[in-house]
């Protein structure tokens, strides 16, 4: 019975967080991560939690967001990748230790800007080769 209540509380926390700061999946972050949707989704969740907490470090357990990924292991793996790439920092504090996550907005912004440049340089020139319908040269 208490396990069901805990799951319900976890989902209500996620729902409340999403109401205050809707989840934003950046298409340019998706391009920057080579279309790795799970990694982009996790980055979006961390950004939403960071904004919801007043742009300060926050606590968000892996099991609380595992419903979006299918398992806690997937969350842990993606979280480690984001940590290694510098998008988040994870610090353990207190007894019992609690993981505090801090989102690096500048790093995420730089990923998006680099993806915009990649998009402009690689995709847009190909579109210029196609003439609009009805125009003849």
């Amino acid at each position: 019975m208490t396990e069901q209540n805990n799951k319900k509380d976890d989902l209500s926390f996620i729902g409340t967080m999403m109401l205050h700061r809707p989840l934003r999946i950046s298409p340019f972050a998706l391009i920057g991560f080579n279309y790795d949707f799970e990694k982009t989704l996790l980055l979006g969740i961390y950004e939403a939690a960071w904004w919801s907490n007043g742009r300060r470090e926050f606590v968000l357990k892996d099991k609380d967001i595992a419903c979006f990924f299918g398992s806690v292991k997937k969350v842990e793996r993606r979280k480690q990748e984001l940590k290694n790439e510098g998008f988040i920092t994870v610090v353990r504090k207190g007894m019992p230790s609690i993981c505090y996550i801090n989102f690096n907005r500048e790093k995420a912004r730089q990923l998006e800007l680099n993806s915009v440049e990649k998009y402009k340089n690689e995709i847009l020139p190909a579109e210029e080769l196609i003439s609009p319908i009805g125009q003849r040269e």
Side-chain angles (χ1 to χ4, degrees):
M1 185 73 173
T2 58
E3 185 175 322
Q4 286 180 338
N5 289 340
N6 287 342
K7 287 182 182 178
K8 191 175 180 182
D9 291 341
D10 293 344
L11 293 176
S12 67
F13 166 75
I14 298 289
T16 303
M17 183 180 80
M18 296 305 166
L19 284 175
H20 292 284
R21 179 74 182 174
L23 187 59
R24 177 184 153 276
I25 302 294
S26 168
F28 293 109
L30 190 61
I31 292 169
F33 286 140
N34 293 322
Y35 301 96
D36 185 344
F37 184 74
E38 288 179 346
K39 197 174 186 180
T40 308
L41 176 63
L42 187 59
L43 187 70
I45 290 170
Y46 286 154
E47 183 179 15
W50 181 72
W51 275 104
S52 296
N53 199 38
R55 292 182 279 171
R56 294 187 314 259
E57 61 185 9
F58 57 93
V59 175
L60 187 59
K61 296 177 183 174
D62 296 343
K63 68 179 180 95
D64 294 345
I65 55 175
C67 60
F68 294 112
F69 298 91
S71 73
V72 175
K73 290 284 185 193
K74 284 185 180 181
V75 176
E76 290 171 350
R77 188 173 37 246
R78 298 298 183 203
K79 181 179 175 181
Q80 187 63 40
E81 289 175 12
L82 290 174
K83 182 181 171 188
N84 292 342
E85 294 173 9
F87 291 100
I88 61 170
T89 55
V90 180
V91 178
R92 291 187 173 272
K93 297 180 184 178
M95 271 313 243
S97 72
I98 298 173
C99 288
Y100 288 85
I101 302 169
N102 198 4
F103 176 74
N104 185 347
R105 179 65 188 133
E106 288 304 314
K107 182 82 173 178
R109 181 82 175 131
Q110 192 60 45
L111 174 75
E112 290 176 352
L113 291 175
N114 292 343
S115 297
V116 168
E117 287 302 315
K118 179 181 176 183
Y119 179 80
K120 285 197 306 194
N121 294 334
E122 294 179 10
I123 297 173
L124 288 180
E127 289 177 353
E128 292 172 1
L129 297 174
I130 302 170
S131 63
I133 296 174
Q135 288 186 353
R136 293 187 178 205
E137 295 179 9

